[in-house]
Amino acid sequence: MFREIEPICFKCVKARHFKKCSNCKEIKSPYSSKLDRSNLCKQCTESPFKSCEICKKDIPSGAFGRKCADCFAQDTLKKRLKLNKVGFSEFVATLYEEYSSWLSHRRGSAHAARQILKDRSAFEFLDCAFRKNNRLPNYAQFMRELVGTNTRPSTLTKKFFAEQRLFSADLERHQDVEEKNRIRRLINTFHHTESTTATIFLRYYGHLLRKYRKGALGIRSVRLALTPAADMMRLADIQQKKTVDQELLNQYLWLHLGQMNAASVFINYLRQHEKLALQIPSKEYFILPKTSESKRRLKLQLIELLSREMAFSIRYMELGMAYFHGRRLPKELSKIELYRNCKHEAGFLTVCFAKLAYVLPYPHP
């Protein structure tokens, strides 16, 4: 079919005989080319455009389907809305329709068609409470029970509820309840452990809580200060560290460089109250060093490791960084233990290296 002398795999067929059409952007067999060497498929060569069957707007002839992207998204939104509002009470079904219209106006039909599926669970809970009491719950009860069922409404859903004034509390009250729920989830991850790092974190929480009660901090500032501290303590638990040292701080900043300002509050607390000698390095410190080894040498070393079935070793991660990205793994990160939840998905091996994730080719046996 493609005039190949020897059998080739589907990946090589696609690479050799299929290109992206410059008009419809679909991957197809090229039929002709322009002066700038861009490819065109057969449909776009014979007739560049066709009309959308709904709005009659011109769309590329090679595009799949007979509708433009906007009409297709609007049609998908209508179908999903009709299907997903089944079973709701009349009041909540009307509210669900208003939410889809509000979301479509703010973000577009394509985003709304995806988002209403994710946010249906919040409306299900709202419908259950409405049927039970014949009225809506207050916002604090609504959020507390949602958190208890591991369901979290999106930010857009909460904005819609606030604009519709569905609950008795004002917008500031809504935000306070949300922040307190986030803090509660952070505290619960350390409340039932007796490690030294958990004790340090809970003492830090008590320090922030005293400031909040005096009015020196807002509830959102407390949550923003606790988040980097919780991440740093979890990183310490992974390595079974009993306290925060300079190496742990460097590891955290390698993984969360954008949190340097937020982490500085926690570091200042550790200096003053826990008497730990810690220094925040400059941003120039966090530049991945380039590798000096050749690609051929790195490839041979990777093949040797795979032949010895050592795909989960730190050395494999270092060689993968050097071969695929041309960078050396920082010395602090090479000491972090790998997470144990390695996944095998669709022929790829996802190795979670703390929060640094790399997708490497799956080593077939």
Side-chain angles (χ1 to χ4, degrees), residues 176-220:
D176 285 352
V177 172
E178 179 187 350
E179 297 295 346
K180 288 178 180 179
N181 284 329
R182 290 183 179 181
I183 292 173
R184 188 180 296 111
R185 285 193 294 270
L186 287 175
I187 298 302
N188 288 341
T189 57
F190 294 95
H191 219 358
H192 303 292
T193 59
E194 299 180 355
S195 62
T196 309
T197 53
T199 305
I200 293 175
F201 178 80
L202 293 176
R203 283 203 297 261
Y204 178 56
Y205 168 64
H207 171 73
L208 294 175
L209 196 60
R210 287 190 293 272
K211 283 191 169 185
Y212 169 70
R213 288 170 177 168
K214 291 179 182 178
L217 287 177
I219 190 64
R220 186 170 185 270

Side-chain angles (χ1 to χ4, degrees), residues 289-333:
K290 293 183 178 181
T291 181
S292 57
E293 292 187 79
S294 65
K295 280 263 187 180
R296 181 179 177 81
R297 180 179 174 85
L298 291 169
K299 182 178 179 180
L300 292 174
Q301 292 182 54
L302 276 172
I303 293 173
E304 182 185 358
L305 277 180
L306 291 177
S307 66
R308 290 188 286 161
E309 299 182 355
M310 297 179 64
F312 298 99
S313 64
I314 296 292
R315 182 59 180 160
Y316 182 66
M317 294 296 300
E318 293 174 344
L319 290 174
M321 277 280 296
Y323 182 76
F324 293 107
H325 305 286
R327 300 286 176 172
R328 293 203 312 270
L329 198 66
K331 59 182 180 180
E332 291 94 354
L333 292 184

Side-chain angles (χ1 to χ4, degrees), residues 57-70:
K57 186 173 69 174
D58 286 343
I59 57 177
S61 294
F64 295 109
R66 294 171 293 176
K67 303 174 186 176
C68 65
D70 292 337

Side-chain angles (χ1 to χ4, degrees), residues 253-272:
L253 292 177
W254 269 112
L255 303 173
H256 308 271
L257 188 57
Q259 295 290 324
M260 182 177 287
N261 292 334
S264 62
V265 180
F266 181 50
I267 301 306
N268 290 334
Y269 167 82
L270 293 176
R271 288 175 186 163
Q272 297 174 7

